[in-house]
Amino acid sequence: MTPPSPGISVVMPARDEGDRVGATVASALEAGAGPDDIEFVVVDDCSAPGGRPVIADGPDRRRVRIIRSDRHLGVGAARNLAARHARGRVLFVTDAHTRFSDGWDREAQRLIGPDRILSVTIRDRTSAWRGYGCRLVIPHMGTHWNTSPPGPLPHVHVASSAGTVIERARFARIGGYDEGMVHYSGFEPEFSVRAWRSGAEIVHTTDIEITHRFKRREEVTAFLGVARTAIVHNCLRFGTAHLPESMIPEMVRLHALEFPDHVREALVMLEQRGAWRRREELAASLPYDFAWFVRRLGLRDQIDRPIPST
C-alpha cells in the first residue's frame, strides 16, 4: 500500500554540510506540531565524501530522502530536483543549516494559499538580528534585507531562500528556479519577481522564524573570491529577463564600475546561456509585465527615480 502523501515537504540543497543536515531535520521535527505530516527531500549537491549529508539512525530517518548528484548543480537546480521528488502539497524551501520555531508547520499550513507565497522571518544564530524578507535594488538587481517587519499590508519583494513556503502546484506553474543561472546568488529575487508576474503574491509572516547559520567573514571572503563572476552573471541575467529594455545598459554600467575584472566574462556567459531568449519566453508566457510589478509594489529605482515602463 502506498503511504499517504505528507502535508509538507521540506526541500533543501546540501553541499558539504555533513551533520548540519541531520541537525536541521531534528530541529524541524522537534518543533513541528505534526511531525508525522512532514517529509524531507535533501539534494546532496556533489559533496566531498567527508561532507555528505549525515542523518542519525532512528525512526525519523525514514522521513528523509537523500538524492545524490555527481555534478555540482547549484542551489537553483538542486531545489528544483528536490521539488520534483517531493510529495507534499506544500514546499518549505530552506537551507541545510537552520533551526525551526515551534509550530512552524501548523502556521505554514494555516497561512499558505494557492496564490500566496510565504516569506518567513530569518534570525541570525549569533546575534539578535532578524530579516523580514528582502527588497529589490533596481537597476543593480541586488537585494537588501528588510530589518523591520512590514506594515499592515505585509507584502515583500523577495522571500529568503532559507524560508520560502509555496504550494507545490504553484511552484510547478511558476517553473521553479532559473537553471540558466550559475551555482549561487540571484535565484531568490528572480524567482520572486517571476512569481509576482505570474499572479502570485509574496506575504511576509513573523509567525514562523528560521534561525540561520550565516557565513563567517573569512568564509564570505573565500566564497566571493571563487563565485564573483557567476554572481555578476546571475544579476545581469536577472535584469535582462525582467527590466525595461531602457534600463539594461545602466545595469551593465553599474556592474562594470563595481566589478571591472569580472563583467567581461559575465557578459560572455550571458550570451552563451541564452539570456535574451529567456526574456522573450517570459514576456510571452507571464500574464503581467515588469511595469505592472512596479505599479503593484510602488517601486522606484535605487536613487529614488521613477522606473520607466519600456
Side-chain angles (χ1 to χ4, degrees):
M1 180 181 295
T2 303
S5 297
I8 296 181
S9 296
V10 179
V11 301
M12 66 179 88
R15 180 171 169 83
D16 296 326
E17 295 284 359
D19 58 8
R20 292 178 189 144
V21 176
T24 296
V25 169
S27 171
L29 291 172
E30 290 167 5
D36 290 340
D37 204 28
I38 303 168
E39 71 165 2
F40 300 84
V41 186
V42 179
V43 170
D44 176 4
D45 189 10
C46 199
S47 299
R52 293 178 180 177
V54 176
I55 310 292
D57 291 333
D60 293 334
R61 178 66 181 79
R62 67 177 180 272
R63 304 178 192 275
V64 183
R65 279 178 291 152
I66 298 176
I67 301 155
R68 167 76 178 173
S69 174
D70 291 326
R71 66 181 181 89
H72 183 18
L73 300 173
V75 292
R79 290 179 197 146
N80 290 346
L81 178 58
R84 290 195 294 272
H85 284 266
R87 299 181 299 121
R89 180 181 68 87
V90 174
L91 302 179
F92 195 112
V93 181
T94 192
D95 293 339
H97 39 255
T98 55
R99 300 292 182 270
F100 290 68
S101 59
D102 288 342
W104 64 272
D105 53 333
R106 177 186 61 240
E107 294 303 307
Q109 301 234 43
R110 179 177 70 85
L111 295 168
I112 198 67
D115 297 322
R116 172 177 286 182
I117 299 168
L118 299 181
S119 161
V120 314
T121 300
I122 305 300
R123 178 177 180 175
D124 178 23
R125 188 176 299 182
T126 62
S127 71
W129 181 92
R130 286 174 171 80
Y132 303 92
C134 296
R135 62 188 184 277
L136 282 176
V137 180
I138 300 170
H140 186 278
M141 305 315 284
T143 59
H144 288 319
W145 283 99
N146 299 318
T147 54
S148 59
L153 294 175
H155 293 132
V156 295
H157 306 167
V158 177
S160 166
S161 65
T164 297
V165 189
I166 182 171
E167 288 195 347
R168 183 159 56 94
R170 166 61 76 173
F171 183 88
R173 288 198 299 274
I174 293 170
Y177 293 92
D178 179 8
E179 296 190 16
M181 291 187 170
V182 183
H183 292 164
Y184 303 106
S185 185
F187 290 94
E188 296 79 30
E190 194 286 323
F191 176 82
S192 294
V193 171
R194 190 156 29 96
W196 278 106
R197 289 182 59 188
S198 76
E201 63 173 2
I202 302 177
V203 175
H204 189 79
T205 178
T206 57
D207 293 332
I208 305 172
E209 189 170 275
I210 293 295
T211 302
H212 187 274
R213 177 193 177 273
F214 287 93
K215 289 182 174 66
R216 299 186 299 272
R217 186 184 301 274
E218 61 272 20
E219 291 176 303
V220 172
T221 300
F223 170 76
L224 292 178
V226 173
R228 177 61 75 188
T229 300
I231 292 170
V232 173
H233 164 267
N234 289 355
C235 286
L236 296 180
R237 180 178 171 90
F238 174 28
T240 300
H242 295 283
L243 279 177
E245 194 165 342
S246 62
M247 296 191 81
I248 293 175
E250 176 66 5
M251 172 190 66
V252 175
R253 186 184 73 85
L254 291 170
H255 282 86
L257 288 172
E258 189 171 1
F259 306 112
D261 296 334
H262 300 274
V263 71
R264 185 184 298 274
E265 185 178 350
L267 287 169
V268 171
M269 293 169 62
L270 196 71
E271 189 67 26
Q272 290 174 338
R273 301 178 76 85
W276 288 97
R277 183 174 65 252
R278 174 70 169 172
R279 177 186 179 89
E280 293 169 358
E281 291 170 352
L282 296 183
S285 62
L286 294 174
Y288 300 104
D289 61 13
F290 192 77
W292 173 90
F293 170 67
V294 167
R295 294 192 301 271
R296 178 74 171 80
L297 292 177
L299 302 183
R300 296 177 72 85
D301 79 2
Q302 60 202 66
I303 57 173
D304 201 35
R305 297 175 301 188
I307 295 172
S309 59
T310 58

